[in-house]
Amino acid sequence: MKNTIATLALIAATATSVSAQNHMNSGGVVGKPTDFTWEGVATLPDRCEFHEGNTNGKMELQEDELTWLVTVPAKIGLRVRGLSNVWIENDGQFVGSDGMNFLATVDYVGDDTYQGVGASYYTYDEAARKYGINNAADKVTVNVDNKDGDMYITLGGSAKAADNNAKFRSGVRYKVVHTITCID
């Protein structure tokens, strides 16, 4: 008989507890509801950093022995955020491995056959549309228009010795150096 009473008391207590909880849930809110939120301000630094896939280009000396055509363009991958422009500047000279340098006129416009592979760029969301890089007096400006993401630059074209009397030497490696500068 004692076991039966204990079981009934437990059932009664459980039923009362559930009943009270249901009454509070359906009975309304006590006091004024208040929303609590998470707030934060993004303080991301502007950035311009190289990412995978950066390669130097290759050029070949032509029959006139003054002009070099780019046969394999240099490829530059940048990750950009919060920038307005990227500058591409060449150093304006052929740098020889023998220490002899010659002034150069660089032409970024190419037609593959006579002017080398042209230069272009595109951003991560416009991969299907490449923008040609045209010649400029001192530097090429690429407008990234505050886009965030990846950007790809392909540097091709040709370079010609500024002096028609320049003599490139057999066995010497020559390069035209380009500098990439990010502008906010």
Side-chain angles (χ1 to χ4, degrees):
M1 187 78 177
K2 289 182 184 177
N3 287 341
T4 304
I5 294 173
T7 304
L8 290 175
L10 180 61
I11 291 171
T14 303
T16 304
S17 173
V18 170
S19 175
Q21 187 177 7
N22 287 340
H23 177 69
M24 289 299 290
N25 286 340
S26 63
V29 177
V30 178
K32 184 177 178 185
T34 303
D35 291 334
F36 292 93
T37 60
W38 290 347
E39 294 181 14
V41 176
T43 54
L44 302 171
D46 289 347
R47 76 173 176 192
C48 179
E49 57 194 26
F50 293 100
H51 64 85
E52 75 284 339
N54 297 304
T55 58
N56 289 321
K58 294 183 181 179
M59 59 184 184
E60 291 181 2
L61 185 60
Q62 301 303 294
E63 288 182 23
D64 68 359
E65 297 183 6
L66 295 173
T67 305
W68 294 77
L69 292 184
V70 174
T71 56
V72 177
K75 296 187 183 200
I76 299 109
L78 294 174
R79 201 157 273 135
V80 297
R81 176 177 50 229
L83 303 172
S84 58
N85 293 303
V86 174
W87 286 347
I88 303 166
E89 298 176 272
N90 66 72
D91 63 0
Q93 62 183 342
F94 292 102
V95 179
S97 60
D98 62 352
M100 296 287 296
N101 299 343
F102 300 104
L103 292 178
T105 302
V106 176
D107 182 359
Y108 292 111
V109 179
D111 66 6
D112 286 337
T113 306
Y114 302 107
Q115 296 174 322
V117 179
S120 63
Y121 71 96
Y122 63 94
T123 57
Y124 68 103
D125 59 348
E126 298 172 320
R129 181 175 180 177
K130 293 185 179 182
Y131 299 95
I133 294 178
N134 297 316
N135 297 320
D138 55 353
K139 64 182 159 262
V140 174
T141 300
V142 176
N143 183 351
V144 295
D145 198 25
N146 293 312
K147 292 182 181 176
D148 296 345
D150 294 342
M151 170 184 199
Y152 301 92
I153 301 169
T154 303
L155 286 179
S158 62
K160 184 174 182 176
D163 179 2
N164 286 336
N165 296 318
K167 301 287 183 209
F168 292 103
R169 296 180 45 179
S170 182
V172 176
R173 298 181 69 83
Y174 294 95
K175 62 184 175 181
V176 177
V177 177
H178 287 79
T179 302
I180 307 294
T181 306
C182 296
I183 306 299
D184 57 1

